[in-house]
Amino acid sequence: IKVTHIESGIGSEISQYINDNTKLIFLESPGSNTFEIQDIPAIVKIAKRAGIPTVIDNTWATPLFLKPLDLGVDISIHSATKYICGYSDVLIGCVTVNKKYSEEFDEYLHAVESYTNSHDCYLALRGLRTLQVRLSAHQKSAFEIARWLETEDVVDCVIHPGLESHPQHNLWKRDYSGASGLFAFTFKEKYSDKQIALFINSLEMFGLGYSWGGFKSLVTARQYKRDGKWVHDGKHLIRLNIGL
């Protein structure tokens, strides 16, 4: 299997990457680390013209804030461990497919017997009952913190699709009905790894963790490098999961 990685904030330009052997287009909008928004309808239009199925990781928005199948995407996947369950106590995922692929998926699941256990299903259903209430709280707090960070002199950029300053904000506004509690920011100064670690350790209300979507506020820091093709290349990206 050959995988071609392309710039995350892409739209109709994806046509230049499609080859005769392209079998699938996989999206994550926004990216859960760098938060670019893709032009989903434009990508879907090109994919359908070429007869290529599309898959999207919709974990960030959840079905509450984005309905990919309504935009023409064939398959939507979720790490239900995160917002859908909401309590960071289940390891589970889910797949939603359109009518075209439903029979094929059903046959596959029966063949490999890829099912989760009943207790995890119960916990996921428990989380679904409070999804709207929790997401509303995550969204409200995240917007407040993101807008506050934009006013801080030491902050260079707040990377949140719901902010007007985000380069693909108009796409988010067009396709999404809300935002979750995960976003990132960068500092103006290029601090050392040691300085970033001191900053992270000074945060009293955040734990250190790579997962997200649960009730607890978490933070990670990572230095991204994309051969100079990204505006934040080489900077430490501070990612915040704003909890409840």
Side-chain angles (χ1 to χ4, degrees), residues 170-214:
N170 287 337
L171 293 178
W172 172 82
K173 192 174 181 180
R174 182 192 69 188
D175 296 336
Y176 294 72
S177 61
S180 62
L182 191 74
F183 68 95
F185 71 92
T186 59
F187 289 111
K188 288 180 180 177
E189 297 287 336
K190 284 194 174 182
Y191 295 113
S192 66
D193 290 344
K194 185 176 180 179
Q195 288 173 312
I196 293 295
L198 287 171
F199 164 72
I200 295 294
N201 288 331
S202 72
L203 299 175
E204 296 180 359
M205 299 184 69
F206 286 81
L208 183 65
Y210 280 95
S211 191
W212 46 275

Side-chain angles (χ1 to χ4, degrees), residues 13 30 49 52 129 152 166 174 181:
E13 313 94 290
R49 189 186 305 154
I52 301 169
R129 295 186 181 101
E152 292 297 298
H166 190 279
R174 182 192 69 188

Side-chain angles (χ1 to χ4, degrees), residues 73-232:
V73 176
D74 296 304
I75 302 165
S76 177
I77 66 173
H78 297 269
S79 171
T81 298
K82 297 181 172 71
Y83 284 120
I84 288 178
C85 290
Y87 298 92
S88 303
D89 55 2
V90 189
L91 189 63
I92 189 173
C94 60
V95 181
T96 307
V97 301
N98 60 16
K99 188 175 181 180
K100 180 179 179 180
Y101 292 98
S102 60
E103 186 174 336
E104 186 175 342
F105 260 82
D106 190 52
E107 290 177 357
Y108 170 79
L109 290 173
H110 277 84
V112 301
E113 296 185 347
S114 179
Y115 303 105
T116 190
N117 62 75
S118 58
H119 182 65
D120 284 354
C121 288
Y122 160 75
L123 293 175
L125 289 171
R126 172 203 62 179
L128 277 173
R129 295 186 181 101
T130 60
L131 180 63
Q132 184 171 6
V133 175
R134 288 185 288 105
L135 259 294
S136 296
H138 285 299
Q139 175 178 234
K140 182 176 183 293
S141 297
F143 267 125
E144 288 179 1
I145 293 171
R147 289 181 176 124
W148 170 75
L149 283 168
E150 283 195 313
T151 67
E152 292 297 298
D153 291 336
V154 296
V155 173
D156 179 39
C157 181
V158 181
I159 312 168
H160 187 310
L163 297 179
E164 291 79 3
S165 57
H166 190 279
Q168 291 98 33
H169 173 72
N170 287 337
L171 293 178
W172 172 82
K173 192 174 181 180
R174 182 192 69 188
D175 296 336
Y176 294 72
S177 61
S180 62
L182 191 74
F183 68 95
F185 71 92
T186 59
F187 289 111
K188 288 180 180 177
E189 297 287 336
K190 284 194 174 182
Y191 295 113
S192 66
D193 290 344
K194 185 176 180 179
Q195 288 173 312
I196 293 295
L198 287 171
F199 164 72
I200 295 294
N201 288 331
S202 72
L203 299 175
E204 296 180 359
M205 299 184 69
F206 286 81
L208 183 65
Y210 280 95
S211 191
W212 46 275
F215 61 90
K216 184 176 177 60
S217 293
L218 298 172
V219 60
T220 62
R222 182 175 175 183
Q223 193 172 18
Y224 279 84
K225 293 183 179 179
R226 293 186 179 175
D227 301 322
K229 296 180 180 179
W230 193 44
V231 66
H232 305 295

